[in-house]
Amino acid sequence: MNVDNLKFLYEISRKSLDEEIERYKRLDEKAARLLTGCGIAIVAYTALVKEASTFICKSPNTFYEWSFIVIATLTYIALVSSWSKLFSSMRLINSPRIEIDDSVSGMIKESLEEAYEDLAATCQEATVVARGILVGKQGQIELAYRDMQFS
C-alpha cells in the first residue's frame, strides 16, 4: 500500500474511534439524566407510599390492603433496581485511546507507511475495545429502563 492509502485507512480508523468515544459520552449523559430522574422518583414514591400507608395499612386485613402493600413493594424494588443498574453503568472505565509517545515519532522518522499502518491498527483495536465497553453499558441502561417501565 502507498502512503496515501495508509493515511486514508488511519483517518477512517481514527474517525471510527472518535465516534465510539462520542457514543460513550452520550450514553453516560443519558444514564446521568435517567439516574437523576430515577432518584427523584424514588424519593417522591417513598413519600407517597409513606403518606398513603398511614391511611390504608395500619393493620392490613383485606385483600386490597395486602394488594397495596405487594404492589408498593414491587414498584419500590423495581425503582431501586433501576437506580442501581444506572449507577453501575456509570462506573468509571478507562476509555480506549491512542498513546502518542517517543516510539511513534521514531516510527514516523523511520517509515511513514509503517507508522500509518501501526496507528490504524491501534485505532481499530481501541475501537473494538470501546464497542465492548459500550455494549455492556448499553445493556445496563436498557435493563434499567425496563425496570422503570415495570415500576
Side-chain angles (χ1 to χ4, degrees), residues 102-112 114-115 118-119:
D102 294 335
S103 65
V104 173
S105 58
M107 275 192 315
I108 292 172
K109 288 178 185 174
E110 291 176 18
S111 169
L112 190 58
E114 188 178 316
D118 289 346
L119 287 171

Side-chain angles (χ1 to χ4, degrees), residues 4 9 11 14 22 24 29 39 70 77 82-83 101 104 132 139:
D4 291 333
L9 177 64
E11 289 172 357
R14 180 64 194 188
E22 186 62 32
Y24 183 89
E29 290 170 3
V70 170
I77 289 170
S82 177
W83 183 89
D101 56 10
V104 173

Side-chain angles (χ1 to χ4, degrees), residues 55-71:
F55 296 114
I56 296 173
C57 301
K58 291 185 180 176
S59 59
N61 295 325
T62 67
F63 173 76
Y64 296 112
E65 291 172 340
W66 279 108
S67 296
F68 173 79
I69 291 171
V70 170
I71 291 171

Side-chain angles (χ1 to χ4, degrees), residues 44-56:
Y45 189 71
T46 301
L48 179 69
V49 168
K50 183 179 177 188
E51 193 62 35
S53 66
T54 58
F55 296 114
I56 296 173

Side-chain angles (χ1 to χ4, degrees), residues 9-24 94-99 118-136:
L9 177 64
Y10 166 70
E11 289 172 357
I12 289 173
S13 301
R14 180 64 194 188
K15 184 174 180 177
S16 177
L17 178 61
D18 290 343
E19 288 171 357
E20 291 300 315
I21 290 172
E22 186 62 32
R23 280 186 63 216
Y24 183 89
N94 289 335
S95 61
R97 60 181 189 264
I98 300 175
E99 297 289 332
D118 289 346
L119 287 171
T122 302
C123 284
Q124 291 166 359
E125 290 170 9
T127 301
V128 169
V129 170
R131 282 189 185 133
I133 292 170
L134 285 171
V135 165

